[in-house]
Amino acid sequence: MTTGNSHRNGGVSFISSSSLKGIYNNNSTNTKVTTTSLTSDRQLKSTTSFSSSSSFKPKPSFRRSSTGSIAAGSSTAKDDTRGVRGRVRVAVRLRPRNAEEAVADADLPDCVELQPELKRLKLRRNNWDSDTYEFDEVFTEFASQKRVYEVVAKPVVESVLDGYNGTVMAYGQTGTGKTYTLGQLGEEDTSARGIMVRALEDILADISLETDSVSVSYLQLYMETIQDLLHPANDNISIVEDPKTGDVSLPGATLVEIKDQKSFLELLRFGEAHRFAANTKLNTESSRSHAILMVHVKRSVKGKDSALSSENGNASHVAKMLKPPIVRRGKFIVVDLAGSERIDKSGSEGHTLEEAKSINLSLSALGKCINALAENSAHVPVRDSKLTRLLRDSFGGTARTSLVVTIGPSPRHRGETASTIMFGQRAMKVENMLKIKEEFDYKSLSRRLDIQLDKLIAENERQQKAFQDEIERIASEAQKRIAEIESNYAFALEQERLKFQKEYLESTQKLQEQSVKDQGKYGNGKVDVMLKDDSIDEMSSGQSPILLAEVNEVKKLLQNETVLRKAAEEEISSLKNQVMQWKMLEAAKNSDILKLHKTLEDESHKKANLEEEIAVLQSQLLQLSFEADETRRNLGKGETEKLSGDLDSLIHQANHQLSRDFGDGTSMEKLFEQVGLQKILSLLEADDADVRIHAVKVVANLAAEESNQERIVEAGGLTSLLMLLSSSDDETIQRVAAGAIANLAMNETNQELIVSQGGINLLSTTAANASDPQTLRMVAGAIANLCGNDKLQVKLRGEGGIKALLGMVRCRHPDVLAQVARGIANFAKCESRAFTQGTKMGRSLLIEDGALPWIVQNASNETSPIRRHIELALCHLAQHDVNAEDMISARALWELVRISQDCSRDDIRNLAYKTLTSSPIFQAELKRLRIDYG
């Protein structure tokens, strides 16, 4: 089964007869992708609009309180918070004639005449008179399942993914195709898949299974009893209503978590097998119960910064650091109502008659509630039926609701057709107040704090062990060095002592030998070698010259010995000084060791303090868990607005004024009247960074509305945004400014102004310096819009626009890659258009800038928007024969063959097939590869 946002269209039929299969033709819809506007997080976002159904998409607006609703009550009226106003959207779908009608009514004209281009139908009273009715959308008998889903259900699915509740319901006479529209599984033909299968496919493609979850319940309301189709033994489920909020829940229903499309299809098959059906004159398999599919979507919101504070507004140091993640919960309900029928026409008898009575009673109760809501009645009879209790949030409540009324063409059933049309007309008058479902994920915060606490304890223990090891290492090295110094000193001292003792003995021996020689030579008796200098002089004065010379020599030897003795004494003194220095060094080491011991004691005190802080943190965590429910209620009563107002009061006066304008709930049009566009634009140059951020956000929101764009450009807003993009270093300002420029770039005149004022260079520079995926997405969206202008292709490429697009693929974020792929597809489409118009062209500029390898690499990307744009770009590039050789060498030919066979969109698949069969170069290559194609 093909997954993604785009599906293959094909012929389908409401009738099981093979002779009528294929009566629904393939109706292609022109799709244009727009850049997401920077609206408030509590406003609905719409990233895709359909030119054929633009009126079906609601325009969000604010109101102070909701009108009378099924969910209205005294408690909810007091707690009503600001929401987004949205009317119930109603579409009409005509079933083709079945085999019986083709024979019985062959000579009679259809009772209805459709005017889909005017979203209008005419119900014939007779051959010359008819009544005209207008709806949000009118589908002919040839409308495909895909188009019905994208127009009716896809906006509701997108709202559910953003955190709102949504409902899609089918109403009509038995046998007009309600179950086919909603619950067709399409196992044999994927183009026949109904809204249930396609909705779950889009939801699973958009969420992350690591952080988000999707759970499904499948029920039927049979004879005023709610039964579980996923657990048939559970056949009497009660309805529980929250007395404060009025929310309706079914706690006894089986809730199954869905991980992939295959498991969801198995659940639907299992549930359909246990649904009650019977054979009547109007339908061979008439549903005898109302089927209700409930899809619960839980999504984690990334990038939102929120801080918990105490009731008196003074946040503690720990509470400021606690930032719980925000979780959005959306509930998507698909209701396949049993057919309204007249007993005489259906031929119901016995138990089937009782079933028909129960069905008509519940549908009658639903009609009464819708009548009361349409007329703003003070009382809405919501408790007349379990069906109205289950749908109290869908009509007049807080859910975004789309209704498909199905009719048949047979003039025999004109009365039932008129009743169905009037039901849809009354439903169009019902207004809902859409409210986002957000809450803090305190369990996730608690787990995160426990992990952080464990990490701090482990890090503290590791640091203590490392510190103790370091102290032991330093002490060991000090002891080792002291022992080594003492050993070296003792050895050196002993060597010096032995040296001087040896020299002293040698000198004494020489003197004695000399004295003996002198005594034997002169015979004068002993010569006292120890005579003093003056005695030797006196004695030598009366001796011979030989004796005098010897005496002088002995005197010289004594002097040398004296010098050597003094040198030895000096060296001994130097060694003593060294010993003193070593002892001082040892004392210093001992002092360092004492300091280390003191540091160790300080660390022990710090450890004790840290343990006390951990205990405080644990106690505060317990306190926060006890206050979680009260905090959630306070936030629901509007304290969020109070906290934001308190913060804004600390900012500059201009910033406070701007925030107050939004805090009062004024619309964009009222902002024009109260503040003035020139004043808002002047704040873009304010010195206060917060003021500039607020101002550029206001301009971006204004630029999201097409009616405001011309006034913004005329007032110089585009020039101011480009200057802000070039001068500001704040990535928040750059992101918002790029988003505003992307909105303005949807207009062809504005595109030329952006290029003439150097916008391509500024966007390219911003893309090169940015790191935030959201900033890159805005810049890529702006460049992608410029790529769709035929007149700007050469200049866009010359100023580095294509290089900037290819450079942003480094981010690898799917939203950024989708915008890059859209820009490449727009650029390739313009080149293909120029080629078909006869303009002489060389090789594609995309190929020259090296985009082809990335295009081929992402032709089979799992993300459907990326894959769809890349497939379209390949088809457009292949239409020009100059590009054929490059595409063959880059293996793009294989991707074209795959697209022509397996692409889920008929228009792209047919374009690829046409290109391959019409290109002689491609045909020659396929023939060379022995591939029989065409």
Side-chain angles (χ1 to χ4, degrees), residues 757-772:
Q757 296 183 24
I760 297 176
N761 287 328
L762 293 176
L763 291 171
S764 300
T765 303
T766 304
N769 297 330
S771 58
D772 186 3

Side-chain angles (χ1 to χ4, degrees), residues 212-223:
D212 307 334
S213 65
V214 178
S215 301
V216 170
S217 295
Y218 198 17
L219 314 164
Q220 69 174 352
L221 179 59
Y222 177 71
M223 302 285 287

